[in-house]
Each structure stands twice: as structure tokens, then as C-alpha cells.
């Protein structure tokens, strides 16, 4: 009897075959990317040739490591493993690595970055700075041991010995070179006393020159306020630094020639140009000032100078009248306050004097009540023993003589008994 398999069983069987097949664990494919639309994490697209199509999956971890941008129609070399997805029975390749085919990954990355920066406008002519006619101080960003700096120094010394060259020793190849180039470009700009900046290195492969294609270097050149001459590689070598620089030189010698004047001839020509420009400028200034003087001389204010101060005189008079009115008002108020204060002071002082007088009379009457003569007139007597006043019976003894003072005289007496 024939035994029928379920679809799931067949798919499971095929999946096990695929998973165990050593030839499918690592497959190397070449083809063209199709139906690519970048997603937030994992990427799903197809690899095709003229006769077949295979679905592809690239997980976020591998995709984020790519240093170029996948595009529809791009020819690529793919490394991955083949597996079956049980839910729909389709097979696909799980991509572990992918690189552009033909021109190479760096070339693709170069074109993609060039396209993006061009769209941003970094290479537009309107951003290019004019090189100075005479560069007295020149900054050079390159390797201290290469032939570039030697050629630049030799050429500048021959053409314009007065120029000063300052080298910023820089790594120009390998890991960390791009960051060092960008940093030294920024340092030269920050120093602020250079007329020109040269960056460069000798020839080499695209890998050797790649640091001059890095976005960090391109943007550092674009943001430089110093005019920049790029001299990277041989004449046939082109980098993104050449596109963004204000001028490109095919060789270090050519860069030095662009940076230096042609000794006496260029210097004399430059001085003549400056003399002509200065003379023309002075003529323009004198003409402009003369026109201003003539215009002022013909103005109404010079023909009728009294009009300059008519308005001021009127304003002063108005302010004087206003000030006088205010002062009169203030004086009236002050006068009223003074009169009011004077009246209050007189009333207060009169009341105070009357009060003090009444108190004095009261005190005088009180003193009169204490007067001995007044007391004696009321029938009282003052008893003395010697020079002491007798206040108590304990102050005298039997047989003791005492003096009794009355209102009209005094008498002597003797104590007979208590």
C-alpha cells in the first residue's frame, strides 16, 4: 500500500538534507541584487542571473558591518549557507559576507560617497577660496619622512625664500590616518596665522590613499577657512580631497609652485598691483569725501546756521517756563508747610510753658507746707536738746534742759518727769 507524506514531513525531510549537506554549508555565489529595499533591521532581497533567482536574507549584525551601500542591479560576490524555510517550502541563502563584484568595494564606496557629498554641495565651485598671491606662512599636513615635504621645502625656498613652512607631522596611511589628518587641518586653522594649507602624500594604491577619501577628511577640508591645496598620489590618482580642496596639484612640486610666488618677478608684479589698487582706492575715497563736503556746504544748515539752534532755543524756553512754574508751585507748598509748622510750634511751646508754670506753682505750694514758720503759726512748737531736734520721749531724760521754739520766740524748760 502506498504511503503518502504530508507536506510538512516532506519539507522537514528536505530541510534536514539541506542542513546536513556539506556543500550547502558555505556557498559562494555571484549575481545581481534584485528587489532590494532597505529595512530597519534584517534585509530581504534576491540574487539573480539571467536564468534563475534565489532569495537572500542578511541579518542586521552582518548588514551593519558593510562599508558600502547595497543597491538594486549591483553585481556582488556572496558568501553564505543555503537553508529551507519550512513555512512556505522555499529555499534561500543566509548571507554571511557580500562584496561588490568587478570594480571592488572601495571603488563602489568611493562613488557612493562622492555622489552623496556632491548632492550636499561640498564640491561646488562657489565654495572654492582664492589662493593668496603671496603666502608668507604655509602649513603642510603630511608625513615628516616622505618625499612630499622635501619637495615642497626645496621648491618654496627656490621661488620665495621669505616664506615660512610649518610642518604638521601626520600619518597618511593605515588605521587612524584619516582622524589624524582631519585633526591637523583643524589645528592649523585654529592657530590662525597661516596664509595657506597644503595636504598630501606620495603615490600608492587606492587602499594606500583611502584615508584622503574618508568623509571626516573631506569635511575638515570643506570647513577650513584657510585655502587648501591637495596633492595626493600621482597625477592619475584622484581622491575626494582633490574635489573638495580649493586647488588640486598633480605633484608636491606643483603644490609648492601654487603656494609660492615666482621670486622677484611675481613679488614686483604683486607690489605694482597693490600700488595701483591703493592709488585707485585713495582717489575714490578723496572723491567721495569731496562730494560729501560739497553737499554739506550747500546744505540749508550751512546757508542758514541759525536754523541749527532755533528749535533748541524754543525747547530751552519751554523748559525754563515749565521749571519756573514748577518752582512756584513747590515754593507755595513749602511756604504753607512752613507756616503750618510755625503755628504748631508756637502752640506747642505755649502749652509747654503753661504746663511748666503750673507745675512750679504746685511745687512752691508744697514747699510752703513744709516751712517751719508756717507750722509754728498753726500752734506747733519745735523741741531741741542741744543742736538736735527731739523727736521721741526716748531722746530726753529727767532733769535734762530743752529748748522750745514757738512762732514768736523760744523758751527753756527742764524735764521733770516722764
Amino acid at each position: 500500500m502506498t504511503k503518502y507524506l504530508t507536506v510538512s514531513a516532506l519539507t522537514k525531510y528536505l530541510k534536514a538534507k539541506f542542513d546536513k549537506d556539506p556543500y550547502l554549508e558555505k556557498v559562494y555565489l555571484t549575481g545581481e541584487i534584485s528587489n532590494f529595499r532597505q529595512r530597519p533591521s534584517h534585509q530581504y532581497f534576491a540574487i539573480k542571473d539571467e536564468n534563475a533567482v534565489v532569495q537572500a536574507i542578511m541579518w542586521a549584525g552582518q548588514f551593519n558591518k558593510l562599508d558600502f551601500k547595497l543597491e538594486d542591479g549591483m553585481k556582488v560576490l556572496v558568501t553564505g549557507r543555503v537553508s529551507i524555510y519550512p513555512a512556505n517550502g522555499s529555499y534561500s541563502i543566509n548571507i554571511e559576507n557580500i562584496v561588490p563584484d568587478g570594480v571592488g568595494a572601495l571603488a563602489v564606496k568611493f562613488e557612493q560617497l562622492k555622489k552623496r557629498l556632491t548632492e550636499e554641495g561640498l564640491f561646488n565651485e562657489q565654495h572654492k577660496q582664492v589662493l593668496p598671491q603671496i603666502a608668507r606662512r604655509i602649513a603642510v599636513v603630511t608625513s615628516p619622512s616622505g618625499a612630499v615635504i622635501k619637495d615642497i621645502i626645496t621648491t618654496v625656498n627656490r621661488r620665495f625664500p621669505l616664506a615660512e613652512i610649518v610642518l604638521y607631522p601626520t600619518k597618511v596611511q593605515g588605521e587612524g590616518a584619516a582622524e589624524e589628518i582631519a585633526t591637523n587641518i583643524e589645528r592649523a586653522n585654529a592657530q590662525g596665522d597661516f596664509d595657506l594649507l597644503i595636504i598630501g602624500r606620495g603615490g600608492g594604491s587606492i587602499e594606500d590613499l583611502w584615508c584622503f577619501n574618508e568623509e571626516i577628511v573631506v569635511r575638515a577640508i570643506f570647513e577650513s577657512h584657510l585655502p587648501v591645496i591637495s596633492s595626493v598620489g600621482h597625477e592619475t590618482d584622484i581622491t575626494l580631497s582633490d574635489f573638495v580642496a580649493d586647488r588640486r596639484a598633480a605633484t608636491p612640486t606643483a603644490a609648492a609652485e601654487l603656494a609660492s610666488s615666482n621670486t622677484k618677478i611675481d613679488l614686483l608684479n604683486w607690489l605694482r598691483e597693490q600700488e595701483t589698487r591703493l592709488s585707485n582706492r585713495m582717489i575714490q575715497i578723496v572723491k567721495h569725501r569731496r562730494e560729501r563736503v560739497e553737499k554739506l556746504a550747500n546744505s540749508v544748515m550751512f546757508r542758514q546756521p541759525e536754523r541749527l539752534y532755533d528749535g533748541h532755543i524754543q525747547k530751552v524756553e519751554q523748559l525754563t517756563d515749565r521749571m519756573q512754574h514748577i518752582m512756584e508751585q513747590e515754593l507755595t507748598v513749602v511756604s504753607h508747610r512752613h507756616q503750618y509748622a510755625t503755628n504748631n510750634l508756637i502752640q506747642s511751646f505755649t502749652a509747654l510753658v503753661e504746663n511748666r508754670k503750673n507745675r512750679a506753682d504746685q511745687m512752691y505750694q508744697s514747699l510752703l507746707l513744709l516751712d517751719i514758720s508756717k507750722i509754728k503759726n498753726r500752734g506747733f512748737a519745735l523741741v531741741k536738746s542741744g543742736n538736735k531736734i527731739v523727736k521721741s520721749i526716748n531722746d530726753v531724760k529727767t532733769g535734762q534742759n530743752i529748748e522750745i521754739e514757738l512762732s514768736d520766740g523760744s523758751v527753756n524748760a527742764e524735764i521733770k518727769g516722764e
Side-chain angles (χ1 to χ4, degrees), residues 10-25 82-84:
L10 176 61
T11 304
K12 185 177 180 180
Y13 174 79
L14 292 174
K15 182 176 182 347
K17 285 288 188 180
F18 272 57
D19 292 342
K20 293 178 181 179
D21 191 332
Y23 294 103
L24 300 179
E25 287 182 358
V82 178
S83 63
I84 288 182

Side-chain angles (χ1 to χ4, degrees), residues 64-76:
N64 292 334
K65 294 178 182 178
L66 295 181
D67 56 1
F68 66 97
K69 184 179 179 182
L70 295 181
E71 296 176 349
D72 250 9
M74 178 185 290
K75 292 183 178 180
V76 291

